Amino acid sequence: MNNLFTDDNERVLAMVLDEDPDVVAILSLQLHVLGMESRCYRRADELLSELDECAPQLVIMGLEFGDPDGIALLRLLAEQRYAGWVLLLGGVERKISRIAERVGHTLGLQMLGSLDKPMRLAELRQRLERLHPGRKPALVPEDDPFFSAEELDAALERNELTVHYQPQFELATGRLSGVEALVRWVHPEIGLIGPASFLPMLTAGQSRRLTCHVLSCALADAERWREQGVLLSLSVNVTADDLMESQLPALTRHRLPGESPLVVLEITETAAMDDELLGSEIAARLHLSGMEVAVDDFGVGFSSLTRLQMLPISELKIDRSFVRHLQQDTQDAAIVEAIALLGRRLGIRVVAEGVEELDCLPTLARFGCTHVQGFGLSRPVPAGDIPALAAGQSPIRERIAASGASVGNTP
């Protein structure tokens, strides 16, 4: 296996903190195989005392090692303005690991998730592929955003914001059935920039303009696909504020009833449930305009099922955090199964997001999920790649057939 880090001019260092000496020894060996140096610690205060001097690119840490505990250590790392990555080690209840990940994200730390024990080299390598060899990842300064509002306005004016598409597949047939539009910034100096680097800095007005821009681009791409015989649904992420934009229905009014593409506006579960009357009114008006509303990241908020019943929702998207560990975590499996059952009873589509391993497809089909998307099936692609992807052979049916699982009907 080739090293991930081969630049001899720069030292790529990982600090490893765990109580178990066997865990530390295995990790040290694996990091060496991947081309990284490592320093190992059994006490958090020792690691913190050397943090600034060593300037590691990565901290790998367990959550159970006395005082301070792992979550408290995350806060201490943030206080010292640690700018590298953090990878958590398993060994505690999965819920605790997830809480720790969320705390780290909230504190501004760059979290690589959690790695289960015993650690496998392939899994460690996959996690570390996100690192940039030879340099520390830079955090966006809190008081001086990397991108100003004026730069974002200029990017919109210069048409530097483009759209890539996350493919969505129908489980019952394995066919490419739709795409989720994802904005990218083609920066003239930096190159392709993902949405996490600039969406949080948008004003409400910029967000509405961007949503209309993405929908317009997606509709134009869908028309080109239609001319090539590819008919797909279009999903576009929106905020609650975006839904008040009167231009959204206007962008699709030129289409005849039932004409492709079906436009699905995805709103997060929490935002969809904040104001029952307003949410119902907006969703109803969009439905009358020929668009549908999906609840994104379903399962991570605290929904009222009565509100869910009242809203004219056509799709539930199960959050990737439940799908990722579906095969290993019985609680995650129970939540996915319950959401799929809810969707079937309500007669709406149920999409499982974040599919990374195809082994979970038979389980999702058995539970009654109707559609799937994720990097295990396809990464986001430019518009020009969609026709070839639609014409290709999907691995979904083969994987489900091999398992002997049956699939349900798609609403």
Side-chain angles (χ1 to χ4, degrees):
M1 182 177 293
N2 294 330
N3 288 356
L4 277 176
F5 308 97
T6 57
D7 188 349
D8 295 329
N9 296 323
E10 295 285 350
R11 181 185 64 173
V12 182
L13 175 66
M15 285 183 159
V16 180
L17 174 66
D18 197 89
E19 284 186 322
D20 190 333
D22 292 333
V23 168
V24 171
I26 292 172
L27 266 174
S28 297
L29 178 60
Q30 291 175 337
L31 290 168
H32 177 74
V33 170
L34 295 177
M36 293 186 72
E37 295 184 27
S38 61
R39 291 194 178 187
C40 303
Y41 305 85
R42 297 185 65 181
R43 290 175 47 188
D45 57 348
E46 294 176 346
L47 182 148
L48 290 170
S49 67
E50 299 182 10
L51 187 68
D52 291 337
E53 177 185 353
C54 295
Q57 188 171 15
L58 173 67
V59 169
I60 304 177
M61 51 176 279
L63 291 172
E64 289 185 308
F65 45 78
D67 188 17
D69 59 49
I71 294 178
L73 177 57
L74 291 174
R75 295 191 174 278
L76 294 172
L77 288 173
E79 288 177 7
Q80 288 193 212
R81 301 187 66 80
Y82 170 61
W85 295 88
V86 178
L87 175 61
L88 301 178
L89 295 176
V92 298
E93 188 177 352
R94 192 175 298 278
K95 290 180 180 178
I96 303 301
S97 295
R98 288 181 180 171
I99 291 172
E101 288 181 43
R102 290 172 59 190
V103 170
H105 281 300
T106 302
L107 293 169
L109 297 173
Q110 305 201 74
M111 306 298 294
L112 284 174
S114 178
L115 188 68
D116 291 332
K117 300 177 183 179
M119 296 75 63
R120 294 191 301 172
L121 182 60
E123 291 180 354
L124 179 61
R125 178 186 176 87
Q126 184 180 33
R127 298 299 176 91
L128 300 190
E129 284 177 345
R130 293 177 56 185
L131 275 66
H132 299 286
R135 70 179 190 273
K136 294 191 299 181
L139 289 174
V140 175
E142 295 180 4
D143 301 325
D144 185 19
F146 187 74
F147 301 113
S148 66
E150 291 75 16
E151 287 178 299
L152 294 170
D153 278 332
L156 280 167
E157 294 295 333
R158 294 193 297 261
N159 290 321
E160 292 174 359
L161 297 176
T162 187
V163 181
H164 285 201
Y165 296 93
Q166 174 68 59
Q168 186 179 102
F169 297 88
E170 185 180 57
L171 263 177
T173 63
R175 70 180 181 90
L176 178 68
S177 58
V179 291
E180 179 181 349
L182 303 172
V183 67
R184 299 289 188 268
W185 184 353
V186 186
H187 196 282
E189 297 176 0
I190 302 175
L192 199 65
I193 301 174
S197 297
F198 61 90
L199 287 187
M201 302 173 194
L202 295 177
T203 65
Q206 287 176 323
S207 178
R208 289 193 293 269
R209 285 181 59 199
L210 180 59
T211 298
C212 290
H213 172 76
V214 169
L215 182 54
S216 295
C217 291
L219 287 170
D221 287 334
E223 177 61 24
R224 286 188 282 270
W225 300 332
R226 188 185 67 81
E227 293 172 354
Q228 299 178 59
V230 179
L231 304 179
L232 303 171
S233 65
L234 278 179
S235 297
V236 178
N237 293 282
V238 298
T239 66
D241 203 38
D242 293 338
L243 291 177
M244 298 301 293
E245 176 55 62
S246 60
Q247 291 184 12
L248 286 181
L251 288 171
T252 59
R253 280 191 189 128
H254 67 282
R255 296 185 300 114
L256 297 174
E259 184 181 1
S260 179
L262 169 67
V263 178
V264 181
L265 300 181
E266 297 184 10
I267 184 170
T268 59
E269 177 184 0
T270 303
M273 304 303 168
D274 275 347
D275 187 323
E276 177 182 340
L277 181 58
L278 179 60
S280 299
E281 175 191 343
I282 293 171
R285 292 174 62 190
L286 292 171
H287 184 78
L288 292 172
S289 299
M291 291 185 275
E292 294 188 354
V293 176
V295 178
D296 198 10
D297 301 335
F298 190 81
V300 298
F302 298 92
S303 298
S304 161
L305 294 183
T306 302
R307 290 184 177 184
L308 184 60
Q309 181 189 33
M310 292 181 64
L311 289 171
I313 289 170
S314 304
E315 180 178 290
L316 295 179
K317 302 193 77 172
I318 304 176
D319 187 70
R320 68 187 68 248
S321 63
F322 301 116
V323 177
R324 185 183 302 123
H325 304 293
L326 177 69
Q327 301 293 83
Q328 298 82 30
D329 194 311
T330 57
Q331 292 186 349
D332 285 355
I335 291 172
V336 173
E337 185 176 20
I339 296 174
L341 176 61
L342 177 64
R344 289 206 310 273
R345 295 299 173 88
L346 294 176
I348 59 180
R349 298 183 299 275
V350 178
V351 182
E353 294 187 286
V355 173
E356 297 181 358
E357 302 292 339
L358 299 188
D359 291 344
C360 72
L361 293 177
T363 303
L364 293 171
R366 187 173 69 252
F367 286 168
C369 293
T370 60
H371 296 75
V372 288
Q373 66 181 66
F375 286 3
L377 297 161
S378 173
R379 289 181 173 271
V381 298
D385 293 353
I386 291 295
L389 190 61
Q393 294 295 317
S394 170
I396 293 178
R397 294 301 302 164
E398 179 182 351
R399 184 59 60 96
I400 295 178
S403 74
S406 60
V407 297
N409 296 324
T410 300

